[in-house]
Amino acid sequence: MKPLISIIIPAYNIAGLLQGMVSDLLAQPFRFFEILIVLREDDPDTARAAEEMSHTDDRIRVIYRNSPGVSAGRNAGIEAARGELLVFPDGDDRVTRGYLGTLLGTIADSKKQLMSKGFPRIQAQLGIVGYDVVEDDKVIDETEESGIRVMDQEDFLCRLFFQENYQGYVWNKIFKKSIIDKFGLRFDEGVYYREDQLFICEYALHCDAIRYNPARMYHYVQRPDSATAQLDPEDGVLKLDVLEREMTQCLAFSKMRKLLKKHEDPQWYLEQEYVFYALETFYRMRLVEDRAYFKNSWFKKIAKEVLSIEYYPLDDWEKEQLESLKKYAKTGMTEENRD
């Protein structure tokens, strides 16, 4: 039988963690799905674990990709998916029993034209569930809204950039493959941070309604070796390749800004967030030993774009960073790098 949902999991260096996510998915009451584990050939341990799991349940398929990166893995999964709906959990996180059913309830078509009390049923093209953040088996953060909400496109796009519950993660959302295929949507393989948010932003431009259910069905597990943790090294020295990846979030913001040029309110919220994170990224350049590398960096174009945005600094730190960014845009040097 053709699956209704395709679950796409890029997996790399998580041989000991993948079993937890797959077990959670196989335990779901909703059964009509396939699991696509997308692997790299240079990771034999994870491949071995995935292949063994695929022999235990015929809903699990293993595919291999040529390009590195989570975006390339998700794109390969999109190409191979047979389901009408797509879900993108991370292989080292966990989900609650009912994760798939709750997501499906946010987006599934219904023959009922009216809900209880005569309210019309609104068909959504994007569904969202709540989540929490877990560290050392303890919940350290969680979504806070208490009721189901249906948003139009403008409302959702505004909330995507200022409301934490709607942040740009794909793992707590469900997408229609027909929309992805019709408009040729794919994850940007040149963006390593906020690639999720960029994809969601582009997808949302083809939605009339988005439904959010605050039930916390997804558990994002923070780990000390995560990519985010590497941005705050204990010795205070940031590796250049780590910062270069983090800098690509500014590329994502720049691309989303262009996507939203006809959407005044969402673009305003995006631009405020863009400036803030660009300043944070710029500040982290000081943690790299070879700061001369940035003199001819593409980040200079980002700096000029950020400086063109109307932004009122919230504190002295932001004022200082903006002044320093102006000098960098002209000279390519940070204050510490100036002779």
Side-chain angles (χ1 to χ4, degrees):
M1 176 181 286
K2 182 179 178 182
L4 179 60
I5 300 176
S6 291
I7 304 166
I8 298 170
I9 308 175
Y12 185 66
N13 282 344
I14 56 170
L17 301 170
L18 184 60
Q19 178 69 51
M21 171 57 76
V22 173
S23 295
D24 288 350
L25 292 170
L26 294 178
Q28 298 289 304
F30 179 82
R31 309 288 295 170
F32 303 103
F33 61 83
E34 64 175 352
I35 300 174
L36 303 179
I37 303 177
V38 190
L39 301 165
R40 284 171 49 175
E41 293 183 352
D42 62 346
D43 182 14
D45 292 339
T46 307
R48 189 179 304 110
E51 294 284 2
E52 289 177 359
M53 283 184 277
S54 71
H55 296 149
T56 66
D57 195 304
D58 59 9
R59 291 174 296 175
I60 301 174
R61 288 199 288 149
V62 173
I63 60 177
Y64 290 86
R65 54 184 159 130
N66 296 321
S67 302
V70 66
S71 291
R74 288 172 177 158
N75 288 339
I78 291 171
E79 295 291 339
R82 297 179 296 174
E84 298 176 19
L85 303 169
L86 304 184
V87 178
F88 299 94
D90 284 349
D92 54 352
D93 291 334
R94 304 300 297 266
V95 296
T96 294
R97 181 178 169 85
Y99 165 70
L100 291 179
T102 307
L103 275 174
L104 184 61
T106 66
I107 200 173
D109 293 335
S110 174
K111 294 180 180 180
K112 293 176 61 177
Q113 297 301 314
L114 296 177
M115 298 177 68
S116 61
K117 299 181 181 180
F119 288 106
R121 178 173 176 82
I122 299 173
Q123 300 299 333
Q125 295 81 43
L126 175 64
I128 311 170
V129 295
Y131 65 90
D132 54 34
V133 181
V134 178
E135 186 175 47
D136 295 329
D137 296 324
K138 296 180 180 179
V139 175
I140 63 172
D141 194 14
E142 60 188 33
T143 52
E144 297 179 353
E145 289 201 25
S146 58
I148 293 174
R149 178 191 295 274
V150 178
M151 297 161 278
D152 63 15
Q153 182 185 101
E154 292 294 298
D155 186 10
F156 171 74
L157 286 170
C158 287
R159 291 171 181 274
L160 184 62
F161 298 104
F162 85 90
Q163 169 61 279
E164 183 176 354
N165 293 355
Y166 305 100
Q167 278 192 38
Y169 308 123
V170 292
W171 33 249
N172 67 326
K173 298 175 176 66
I174 188 167
F175 303 82
K176 289 195 172 185
K177 191 171 188 292
S178 59
I179 293 176
I180 291 173
D181 289 344
K182 180 178 180 180
F183 297 100
L185 306 182
R186 293 294 184 272
F187 290 86
D188 191 323
E189 297 183 19
V191 174
Y192 296 93
Y193 281 76
R194 295 189 183 271
E195 76 286 350
D196 290 28
Q197 197 169 25
L198 175 57
F199 179 84
I200 294 166
C201 181
E202 191 169 8
Y203 180 94
L205 291 174
H206 307 292
C207 297
D208 297 317
I210 297 93
R211 182 176 283 107
Y212 169 74
N213 185 327
R216 297 192 298 274
M217 294 284 126
Y218 194 92
H219 310 298
Y220 171 69
V221 182
Q222 279 196 344
R223 305 184 191 282
D225 58 346
S226 68
T228 304
Q230 294 178 34
L231 291 171
D232 296 306
E234 292 183 2
D235 61 2
V237 178
L238 186 59
K239 294 181 180 179
L240 178 59
D241 62 334
V242 172
L243 180 58
E244 279 187 314
R245 285 174 174 263
E246 196 255 353
M247 287 166 63
T248 63
Q249 75 171 322
C250 294
L251 288 179
F253 275 122
S254 183
K255 292 182 179 187
M256 288 187 285
R257 187 172 184 242
K258 293 181 176 66
L259 287 172
L260 297 180
K261 61 183 178 182
K262 296 182 180 180
H263 301 263
E264 183 176 347
D265 288 344
Q267 188 183 62
W268 185 87
Y269 286 110
L270 177 147
E271 287 180 339
Q272 304 309 296
E273 195 170 18
Y274 182 10
V275 175
F276 174 78
Y277 282 101
L279 293 180
E280 278 206 337
T281 300
F282 176 63
Y283 181 78
R284 285 196 171 103
M285 288 183 184
R286 296 157 170 76
L287 303 179
V288 175
E289 290 183 323
D290 183 16
R291 289 191 294 270
Y293 172 84
F294 300 108
K295 185 173 184 179
N296 298 310
S297 169
W298 55 265
F299 192 80
K300 287 177 66 177
K301 292 183 179 179
I302 293 293
K304 292 176 181 178
E305 181 176 26
V306 166
L307 292 168
S308 73
I309 294 172
E310 186 176 8
Y311 183 81
Y312 298 96
L314 300 177
D315 52 32
D316 290 339
W317 181 86
E318 288 193 359
K319 290 179 183 178
E320 293 172 1
Q321 293 310 303
L322 282 168
E323 287 302 314
S324 186
L325 189 67
K326 290 177 184 177
K327 296 173 183 177
Y328 170 76
K330 292 180 180 179
T331 65
M333 292 184 287
T334 65
E335 288 297 289
E336 291 83 350
N337 202 26
R338 185 185 296 274
D339 292 331

